[in-house]
Amino acid sequence: MATNDTVIWTLMIVVLVVFISQSCVHGESRVPCFFIFGDSLADNGNNNHLKTPAKANYLPYGIDFPKGPTGRFTNGRTFVDIVAELLGFENPIPCFATTRRPKDMVRGLNYASGSAGLRDETGTHMGANVNLNKQLLNHKATVKHIASVMGHKQSSNKHYLNKCLYSVGMGSNDYMNNYFQPKFYPTSTKYNPEQYATLLIKQYSRQIKTLYMYGARKVALVGLGQVGCAPYSISTGTNGSACVDKMNDAVQFFNEKLKSLVDQLNTNLTDAKFIYVNTYGMSGRSADRTTTGLKVSDVNCCPVNEIGQCVPSAAPCKNRSEHMFWDLFHPTEMANLVTARRAYNSSNQSDTYPMNIGHLAKLRL
C-alpha cells in the first residue's frame, strides 16, 4: 500500500513531466527577448524602403528562406536568425522598420541596416542607412513602447530588459565602405590601421555604454570576419596571397581591441556581462572544410551586378551549401549556420570569450 509520501512524490513527478513537456511543445525561449544591432550581415528588411541600392528584397536573395526575399543579404537565414532559433524563439526576430505595435516589440527587434557602421558617415556614398547611433535611438524609442505595455512600472520594465540578450555586430562597413574607399572617405589618409581601430573602439565603447544605460545586461559583441577573403576583396588583387592581407590585418587590430574592450566592460560594469564572438577565427579561410562542407571559399554563388550584389532573378549556383559566400560580400546560410552554432555552443575561448552565447543567455545577473 502506497504511503502518503509516495503519493506526494508521484504527483510532483507527474507535474514536473507535464511542465517540461509543455515547455518543449510551446518552445519557450531561453531569454524573454532578443535585440539585434548590426549591418547587412544581420539586416532583415530595415533597408527595404530606404533610398539605397544596398537592399536585398528580391530574388535570388531569400531563395532558401521560408518567406522568400525579405531583405536578408543571403540565400536563407542570417547568423542572428540561427542564434534566435538556438535560443528557442519560434519565429525570427522582426525588423524595426515594419513593427508598429508595442506588443510585437516585447520579444525583441532587429535594427540592423545594410552598409551601416559605427561612424555616421560610413556607407553613405551608397545612399541612406541606419548607423549604430540611429539604431540606438530607435531602441530608446522601443524601450518606451515596452514600458507602455508593462504599465509604466520602471522597475519591472528594467528587470525585463535586463534578462534580454543583445547582439551587436558592427564595424565591417567602417572598413569596406569607409577606410578602404579613399575615393569617398579621407580616413585612410588621416589614420594608420591601428590608429583607426583605436578611434573606432573608443566610439564603440561609448555606444555600448549607451545600450547599457537602456537596460542591456547580456551583450554579445560580434567581431569582424576576414573581410580580405571576401570575393570582392580578392577581385581587387591579392599580391600573390590567398586574401588581401592589408584588409585582414586592419580588422584584426579592431578585433584585438574589441576583445580588450570586453574585459574593460566586464570589469567596470559588474552587473552586466559582455562577450566577444571571434567570427574571424570561425569563418572564411579558418573554417574547417572537412567538417563544414564549405568547399568553395573564394567564389560567389549568385551572379552579381556592379556593386557586388546578386543580379535580380538570376539563377544562383546549385551547390550553395558548399559555398562560403552568396554574393561578393555576404555569407551563405550554410556559412552562417556553421558560425552561429559554434558561437552558441563552443567551449573554446578562442571562439567566444569569456563564454559562449548559450552560457550568456542562461546567466542570472
Side-chain angles (χ1 to χ4, degrees):
M1 185 175 179
T3 65
N4 287 339
D5 286 346
T6 303
V7 173
I8 290 171
W9 276 108
T10 302
L11 287 171
M12 288 178 67
I13 291 169
V14 170
V15 170
L16 182 61
V17 169
V18 171
F19 174 78
I20 291 172
S21 64
Q22 286 180 339
S23 295
C24 294
V25 169
H26 295 295
E28 185 176 338
S29 59
R30 287 149 186 79
V31 289
C33 43
F34 183 26
F35 292 102
I36 299 157
F37 303 80
D39 49 32
S40 56
L41 297 176
D43 191 349
N44 63 346
N46 287 303
N47 272 25
N48 287 355
H49 301 293
L50 297 182
K51 292 183 178 180
T52 175
K55 59 183 69 178
N57 56 344
Y58 60 89
L59 286 171
Y61 290 107
I63 191 171
D64 298 314
F65 193 74
K67 294 183 179 180
T70 57
R72 290 167 168 82
F73 288 76
T74 185
N75 58 305
R77 295 165 294 170
T78 64
F79 171 86
V80 291
D81 285 330
I82 297 162
V83 169
E85 288 179 7
L86 292 169
L87 288 167
F89 288 95
E90 293 183 3
N91 298 306
I93 303 301
C95 71
F96 171 82
T98 57
T99 304
R100 296 286 179 266
R101 298 182 301 180
K103 70 175 185 178
D104 296 330
M105 302 176 183
V106 295
R107 299 289 275 173
L109 284 176
N110 184 331
Y111 305 98
S113 171
S115 82
L118 300 170
R119 293 173 65 88
D120 290 355
E121 82 275 11
T122 289
T124 54
H125 69 287
M126 297 183 69
N129 65 43
V130 188
N131 59 57
L132 184 53
N133 284 328
K134 290 179 180 177
Q135 291 181 35
L136 289 168
L137 287 174
N138 289 340
H139 183 60
K140 183 179 180 180
T142 298
V143 170
K144 291 181 179 179
H145 287 311
I146 291 175
S148 69
V149 173
M150 296 189 168
H152 297 281
K153 294 179 182 178
Q154 187 173 359
S155 58
S156 60
N157 186 42
K158 182 180 178 182
H159 183 66
Y160 181 78
L161 293 170
N162 289 173
K163 292 181 177 181
C164 302
L165 183 69
Y166 300 76
S167 173
V168 190
M170 297 289 275
S172 293
N173 285 313
D174 294 292
Y175 287 93
M176 299 294 281
N177 283 310
N178 191 321
Y179 194 75
F180 290 114
Q181 293 284 352
K183 180 180 177 181
F184 301 103
Y185 308 96
T187 45
S188 61
T189 61
K190 290 183 177 181
Y191 311 102
N192 65 37
E194 186 167 13
Q195 290 171 334
Y196 187 59
T198 299
L199 184 74
L200 290 178
I201 292 297
K202 283 184 178 178
Q203 178 168 344
Y204 208 0
S205 176
R206 293 192 295 269
Q207 291 164 325
I208 295 303
K209 288 173 183 175
T210 298
L211 183 59
Y212 170 86
M213 286 173 53
Y214 295 156
R217 294 298 182 270
K218 298 180 180 183
V219 184
L221 298 176
V222 183
L224 307 187
Q226 298 178 30
V227 298
C229 297
Y232 169 81
S233 303
I234 293 173
S235 72
T236 65
T238 63
N239 292 324
S241 298
C243 303
V244 182
D245 293 336
K246 68 175 183 179
M247 289 185 174
N248 283 342
D249 292 343
V251 300
Q252 276 294 66
F253 280 123
F254 178 91
N255 285 336
E256 289 166 5
K257 293 177 188 299
L258 181 58
K259 187 175 180 182
S260 296
L261 176 61
V262 163
D263 279 332
Q264 293 172 24
L265 292 169
N266 284 329
T267 298
N268 297 329
L269 304 174
T270 55
D271 63 335
K273 182 61 70 175
F274 301 83
I275 70 167
Y276 165 68
V277 179
N278 180 19
T279 54
Y280 188 100
M282 291 189 281
S283 61
R285 300 277 172 162
S286 299
D288 187 342
R289 299 184 191 188
T290 59
T291 58
T292 64
L294 294 168
K295 301 174 183 178
V296 186
S297 61
D298 56 353
V299 179
N300 46 294
C301 180
C302 71
V304 295
N305 58 22
E306 66 279 359
I307 62 170
Q309 293 182 198
C310 297
V311 173
S313 301
C317 64
K318 300 291 186 181
N319 62 331
R320 40 190 177 267
S321 64
E322 298 179 353
H323 274 252
M324 182 78 68
F325 287 95
W326 176 241
D327 55 20
L328 289 192
F329 301 97
H330 306 99
T332 59
E333 178 184 72
M334 182 57 69
N336 287 327
L337 185 64
V338 169
T339 307
R341 284 178 174 172
R342 200 160 154 186
Y344 193 86
N345 295 309
S346 180
S347 58
N348 189 338
Q349 287 200 349
S350 65
D351 290 341
T352 52
Y353 173 84
M355 66 185 67
N356 60 43
I357 294 175
H359 189 177
L360 177 65
K362 293 176 185 176
L363 279 184
R364 292 186 178 183
L365 298 171

